[in-house]
Amino acid sequence: MNGDDGIQRIRLTGELEISRKREIRDAFGIVPGAKAALVDLAEVTYADSTALTELLRFCVTAQRDGIPIAVVIRTQQFARLVQYAGLANAFRIFEEPGEALAYLNECVDA
Amino acid sequence: MNGDDGIQRIRLTGELEISRKREIRDAFGIVPGAKAALVDLAEVTYADSTALTELLRFCVTAQRDGIPIAVVIRTQQFARLVQYAGLANAFRIFEEPGEALAYLNECVDA
Amino acid sequence: MSGASELRLHCAARSSCVAPVRHALRAFLEALGFDARSLDDVTTAAGEALANAVEHAYGTESARDAGVELLARFDGDRLAVDVADRGSFKKRPPLPGRGFGLRIVRAVARQIRIETADGTRVKMQFPGPYQKR
Amino acid sequence: MSGASELRLHCAARSSCVAPVRHALRAFLEALGFDARSLDDVTTAAGEALANAVEHAYGTESARDAGVELLARFDGDRLAVDVADRGSFKKRPPLPGRGFGLRIVRAVARQIRIETADGTRVKMQFPGPYQKR
Ligand SMILES: Nc1ncnc2c1ncn2[C@@H]1O[C@H](COP(=O)(O)OP(=O)(O)O)[C@@H](O)[C@H]1O
Ligand SMILES: Nc1ncnc2c1ncn2[C@@H]1O[C@H](COP(=O)(O)OP(=O)(O)O)[C@@H](O)[C@H]1O
């Protein structure tokens, strides 16, 4: 947890691809007590289906546990990858961390 | 002139190669009143013979006019290029701008 | 001098090799003047096929040395990219929450053919025009 | 799958094309695991040969479209790089303070041969070993 708002932050940067599978998987876990999670991938420069698979697994688990997730994606390659994989509606995507946080705060307050 | 010490500074960065020939040539000129010149190429990431040719032309002219020159080269590719071209003794090369400046100040004071 | 441009890269089928091969493909296409969108799409598709060779083609560690090959060919008009390995294609029902790789390739490529007679060869063709200059 | 790796890039003989082709060569060699020193040396030599094609091969602007081709071939052991154009080699006495290009190529390459029968082809071979892995 990086804030005292109960929102967990997960941040990954650079190229999220097959050689970093383990690291990506390890990064995606809900810490005890978290009420929501912000997945900040704004500075990811490239992503492949390995990253998508781990992200999806994380989101599915979190949603099952009633923990809202917001994902920040800014790179066009990554945004298109999500479309190509047919996952545009699998999680909430934002272009700005601020917007993602506002969304999560609303979820937590509601 | 970038200081009040009478030492002209010339600074180029990035890849100094054939497509920047004109820009490189234009950068290499002694301004009126300069007593010495520091050629800061510390942040050059790649250089080719186009850059060497212009640098040599500049140094030869300056030395003929009695203006001492110090060249800062840090990148290994560039340092080796100078060796390969047989120009290691054609101009004074330093790895640090500070050293180059100290050398020029000595020349100017002498 | 033939006029056509080609990149053929043979590497070990290890996960650490995928990114450098993808970067080489990108730089190759950049030198040919491809636009940003095409650079992304083609390297994305090739990256998926390369990752599949690393993940699925070989049963043992030592077999990986048989490697994976990227072949990109541009004749000034059409771009074709093959990714080939010497392993065996694993036909199986898709696991839930997986199977994005080939779906992504299909979304990007104009045509894809998978030959499995001798190893696996994923043959992709990409729609043009892709050049900015 | 042949086992050998190859990069063949055909571009217009313009000064703006030299850097992208050099970057593609570098990325190709990086994917093959070449060490930093070799990456520098080989791209430096190739860059000089490419610049020569741009500077000296063609007499007119439109002739430049005949282009320049880089061909790099690595068989797991030896690296050979050719730079070829369709212009005419200009034999002439070196100008003072010039002529560094071929001198640099000679300092780096283990062997260089210049064929001028049909355009100019600078054939370079580089000493190994160059791979870090
Ligand atoms: N190069 C290959 N060698 C062996 N099997 C492959 C290869 N490429 C794809 N496959 C098979 O096709 C399936 C689907 O691949 P893909 O769509 O990329 O999804 P995923 O990799 O997530 O399983 C793989 O699970 C595998 O069984
Ligand atoms: N591709 C080429 N086409 C025509 N002439 C060439 C070519 N490459 C080299 N030359 C000739 O060889 C000479 C020496 O080249 P080089 O050593 O690179 O020095 P520079 O380019 O500074 O003249 C050139 O001036 C030119 O006359």
Side-chain angles (χ1 to χ4, degrees):
Chain A
M1 209 90 53
N2 319 48
D4 52 8
D5 52 4
I7 298 177
Q8 181 184 352
R9 268 84 167 169
I10 295 171
R11 185 164 174 271
L12 290 165
T13 62
E15 296 199 342
L16 293 191
E17 48 88 68
I18 183 169
S19 71
R20 293 173 63 193
K21 184 176 187 158
R22 169 62 61 91
E23 176 201 343
I24 298 168
R25 182 171 294 188
D26 291 348
F28 285 138
I30 292 286
V31 297
K35 289 187 242 144
L38 172 67
V39 181
D40 181 356
L41 307 178
E43 263 147 64
V44 167
T45 54
Y46 176 89
D48 73 1
S49 66
T50 307
L52 275 189
T53 300
E54 297 306 327
L55 178 61
L56 182 66
R57 184 202 312 270
F58 174 68
C59 290
V60 167
T61 308
Q63 279 159 18
R64 198 177 48 206
D65 296 346
I67 295 179
I69 303 286
V71 183
V72 181
I73 293 178
R74 218 181 257 164
T75 322
Q76 294 197 31
Q77 184 272 339
F78 197 174
R80 282 196 289 259
L81 187 85
V82 172
Q83 300 282 340
Y84 296 153
L87 293 177
N89 298 315
F91 30 79
R92 290 296 305 261
I93 299 173
F94 299 86
E95 282 189 29
E96 297 295 335
E99 294 168 18
L101 210 52
Y103 162 76
L104 290 177
N105 275 318
E106 251 177 57
C107 295
V108 170
D109 290 348
Chain B
M1 209 93 52
N2 318 47
D4 52 8
D5 53 5
I7 298 176
Q8 180 185 350
R9 270 83 167 168
I10 296 170
R11 185 163 174 272
L12 290 165
T13 62
E15 297 198 342
L16 293 190
E17 50 87 67
I18 183 168
S19 72
R20 292 173 66 193
K21 184 176 186 162
R22 169 63 61 91
E23 176 202 342
I24 297 168
R25 182 171 294 188
D26 290 350
F28 284 140
I30 293 287
V31 297
K35 288 187 245 149
L38 172 67
V39 181
D40 182 355
L41 307 177
E43 262 145 68
V44 166
T45 54
Y46 176 88
D48 73 1
S49 66
T50 307
L52 275 189
T53 300
E54 298 305 327
L55 178 60
L56 182 66
R57 185 202 311 271
F58 174 69
C59 290
V60 167
T61 309
Q63 279 159 17
R64 197 178 48 203
D65 297 346
I67 295 178
I69 303 287
V71 183
V72 182
I73 294 178
R74 218 181 256 165
T75 323
Q76 293 198 32
Q77 185 272 339
F78 197 174
R80 283 196 288 260
L81 186 85
V82 172
Q83 301 282 338
Y84 296 154
L87 294 177
N89 298 315
F91 30 78
R92 289 297 304 262
I93 299 173
F94 300 86
E95 282 189 29
E96 297 295 334
E99 294 168 17
L101 212 51
Y103 163 76
L104 291 176
N105 275 318
E106 253 177 55
C107 294
V108 170
D109 291 348
Chain C
M1 288 179 69
S2 65
S5 293
E6 200 172 285
L7 169 66
R8 182 190 296 273
L9 255 173
H10 188 94
C11 292
R14 299 186 194 284
S15 68
S16 60
C17 298
V18 173
V21 172
R22 185 165 39 76
H23 296 162
L25 175 61
R26 189 176 180 96
F28 170 75
L29 299 173
E30 275 179 337
L32 292 170
F34 278 51
D35 60 83
R37 168 78 185 259
S38 303
L39 291 173
D40 282 350
D41 282 355
V42 175
T43 53
T44 294
E48 294 300 331
L50 289 163
N52 275 345
V54 169
E55 274 213 294
H56 304 299
Y58 298 107
T60 64
E61 265 312 300
S62 61
R64 293 177 177 278
D65 292 330
V68 56
E69 186 177 271
L70 173 94
L71 172 62
R73 195 166 197 286
F74 182 64
D75 64 5
D77 189 33
R78 293 249 155 256
L79 175 72
V81 179
D82 287 13
V83 172
D85 61 58
R86 289 202 169 100
S88 51
F89 189 82
K90 297 200 175 40
K91 234 190 160 108
R92 64 169 190 209
L95 298 170
R98 291 223 38 171
F100 298 121
L102 291 178
R103 189 193 298 198
I104 290 163
V105 173
R106 285 201 180 88
V108 171
R110 188 174 59 80
Q111 195 187 296
I112 163 177
R113 209 167 72 219
I114 303 182
E115 296 175 353
T116 58
D118 173 28
T120 298
R121 176 174 295 265
V122 179
K123 295 172 79 81
M124 300 168 271
Q125 292 211 11
F126 294 92
Y130 355 67
Q131 281 172 299
K132 59 171 185 269
R133 25 169 216 258
Chain D
M1 286 181 69
S2 65
S5 293
E6 199 173 285
L7 170 65
R8 182 189 295 274
L9 254 173
H10 187 96
C11 292
R14 299 188 194 281
S15 68
S16 59
C17 299
V18 173
V21 172
R22 185 165 41 75
H23 297 162
L25 174 62
R26 190 178 180 95
F28 170 76
L29 298 173
E30 275 179 338
L32 292 169
F34 278 52
D35 60 82
R37 167 77 186 259
S38 302
L39 291 173
D40 281 350
D41 282 356
V42 176
T43 53
T44 295
E48 294 299 333
L50 289 163
N52 275 345
V54 169
E55 273 214 294
H56 303 300
Y58 298 107
T60 65
E61 264 313 298
S62 61
R64 292 177 178 279
D65 292 329
V68 56
E69 187 178 88
L70 174 94
L71 171 63
R73 194 165 199 287
F74 182 63
D75 64 5
D77 189 34
R78 293 250 154 257
L79 175 71
V81 179
D82 287 12
V83 173
D85 61 58
R86 290 202 168 100
S88 51
F89 189 82
K90 297 205 174 37
K91 234 190 160 108
R92 64 169 190 208
L95 298 170
R98 292 224 36 173
F100 297 121
L102 291 178
R103 190 193 298 198
I104 290 163
V105 174
R106 285 200 180 88
V108 172
R110 189 174 59 78
Q111 196 188 296
I112 162 178
R113 209 168 71 222
I114 304 181
E115 296 174 354
T116 58
D118 174 29
T120 298
R121 177 173 293 267
V122 178
K123 295 172 80 80
M124 299 168 272
Q125 293 212 10
F126 294 92
Y130 356 67
Q131 280 172 297
K132 58 172 186 272
R133 24 168 216 257

